[in-house]
Amino acid sequence: MQNVTKILIPRQLFMMLILSTGLLNHVILIPNLLNAAGRDSWLGVLIAYPIGLVFLWLVYFITKNCSDKGFFAMVEKRFGKFVSALISMPVVVYLFLSAYVTFRDLMIWLNAYFLADASVTMINLIMILVCCVVTLGGIKYMAISSGFLLPLVMILGIFIAITNTSIKDPSLLFPLFSEGYTPVIEAIIYSLSGLLEIYLIVLLQPYSQSPIKFRHLFILITLLMGLILGPLTAAIMEFGPVESANFRYPAYEQWRVLNIGDYISHMDFFALYQWLSGAIIRIGLFIYLAAAFFTKKKKQYKLNPILVVGIYLIFFGVTWIEVETFYFYEFIYRYFLPACMAFFLFQILISALLIIVMRKREDSNGKHNQPG
């Protein structure tokens, strides 16, 4: 009997992650990097990349040694429900909180640039309904949708990078270390908060039809690093380190300055496609993965509709909590992103440690069972 859980090839999983984590790296992370390190921020990204590769190898080690049902199901079977809950609950909290941050940031951007006169309640309701439908559709349809959405998102990204070349000044990337080494260290921390989200592949691995290989993960983290580095260096070269740090959405500002000749401009509506594609897949996927922890039907890629609707009702209620935009951005900068980096470091290390303990137990049991 075919296990219907394993419905996706690794390439489809990676497309979802590029869209969802790409939005974090491309939109939410860059203004915080510029605030933390200014001109030195791009150097911090480059230094964070090899550090990310070390943890990438640990993520590969975890997925390689997981059973078909996935890491968390294996932990529950070997160590019991208490240990499983202890390491899975922080993941659920992260998924829900990250979905909220993505949603809130998107609403602020839409309200500021495109829908200033529209009802905030109506925008919230429509967006949550769309994300809820995406989650109810299941991971299979999210992956298929990502396959259609991602190519155009990437083409538009390359388009904006090439067409703005004439207004870029590479000399603005230098000199480095003008403020000392501290900004670079801070930039490394913020960069890792985005790169280490690759840990989510551990949650997606049970849906993969074939084993996830190291080269798959290497390409993925390299693309995610490029999604930070490309628009970050472009913003510094186009606006300068000081002015780009003043922008809340420097990647979007690159669309606003785009001009092709004397007659073509105001093409920033293309950014809507990129933003909405990434945000809807990210929120839909994260709520799906969070809800998957509370379902017992491991062989179904679609979740219980009552559970999903219940979570979105809670999500809708949370969006009603009044939070000043300034304090929301302060929360992301001072607490959320640094906490994400610490969370992923801890989660990757403890997951790898549990795998090692399980392997040693298996080796020990194997020796004891050998005929003397």
Side-chain angles (χ1 to χ4, degrees), residues 171-188:
S171 67
L172 293 174
L173 295 171
F174 302 97
L176 296 171
F177 298 112
S178 57
E179 303 291 332
Y181 294 99
T182 305
V184 178
I185 295 170
E186 290 181 3
I188 293 170

Side-chain angles (χ1 to χ4, degrees), residues 209-318:
Q209 288 177 340
S210 55
I212 294 168
K213 298 181 178 176
F214 183 79
R215 70 168 182 273
H216 296 150
L217 297 176
F218 177 77
I219 293 170
L220 179 61
I221 199 171
T222 304
L223 284 173
L224 293 177
M225 187 272 293
L227 285 172
I228 306 174
L229 193 64
L232 177 65
T233 53
I236 296 172
M237 288 190 286
E238 290 175 24
F239 309 114
V242 177
E243 191 62 28
S244 58
N246 291 331
F247 291 134
R248 178 56 217 171
Y249 302 99
Y252 173 66
E253 297 299 333
Q254 291 168 39
W255 278 102
R256 297 187 76 188
V257 299
L258 171 66
N259 281 300
I260 303 176
D262 296 329
Y263 303 106
I264 300 176
S265 61
H266 298 294
M267 300 177 73
D268 52 322
F269 58 89
F270 281 128
L272 263 176
Y273 175 83
Q274 291 181 306
W275 256 251
L276 289 175
S277 299
I280 290 170
I281 292 295
R282 182 175 176 83
I283 296 166
L285 176 64
F286 279 23
I287 296 295
Y288 179 92
L289 292 174
F293 279 99
F294 300 100
T295 181
K296 295 294 181 185
K297 295 181 179 179
K298 301 296 183 185
K299 292 189 176 181
Q300 295 293 330
Y301 61 84
K302 286 189 178 180
L303 301 174
N304 184 342
I306 297 174
L307 174 67
V308 173
V309 172
I311 290 176
Y312 271 103
L313 284 175
I314 296 171
F315 194 80
F316 186 64
V318 172

Side-chain angles (χ1 to χ4, degrees), residues 67-95:
S67 67
D68 289 344
K69 293 182 179 179
F71 171 74
F72 291 94
M74 193 168 70
V75 169
E76 184 176 338
K77 184 180 177 183
R78 305 286 179 86
F79 295 97
K81 290 184 179 179
F82 178 75
V83 175
S84 175
L86 210 59
I87 63 164
S88 58
M89 280 303 105
V91 179
V92 173
V93 171
Y94 169 77
L95 291 169

Side-chain angles (χ1 to χ4, degrees), residues 302-368:
K302 286 189 178 180
L303 301 174
N304 184 342
I306 297 174
L307 174 67
V308 173
V309 172
I311 290 176
Y312 271 103
L313 284 175
I314 296 171
F315 194 80
F316 186 64
V318 172
T319 62
W320 275 92
I321 299 173
E322 286 286 340
V323 181
E324 289 289 334
T325 303
F326 172 78
Y327 293 114
F328 174 69
Y329 290 143
E330 281 290 292
F331 164 73
I332 294 176
Y333 178 71
R334 297 193 182 281
Y335 304 108
F336 179 69
L337 291 175
C340 287
M341 195 249 355
F343 161 71
F344 282 121
L345 283 179
F346 174 78
Q347 200 71 20
I348 292 171
L349 290 173
I350 197 71
S351 300
L353 184 63
L354 286 174
I355 290 285
I356 292 170
V357 171
M358 280 187 268
R359 288 183 64 178
K360 287 195 171 183
R361 279 186 178 182
E362 287 175 358
D363 292 342
S364 176
N365 290 335
K367 287 178 182 176
H368 287 148

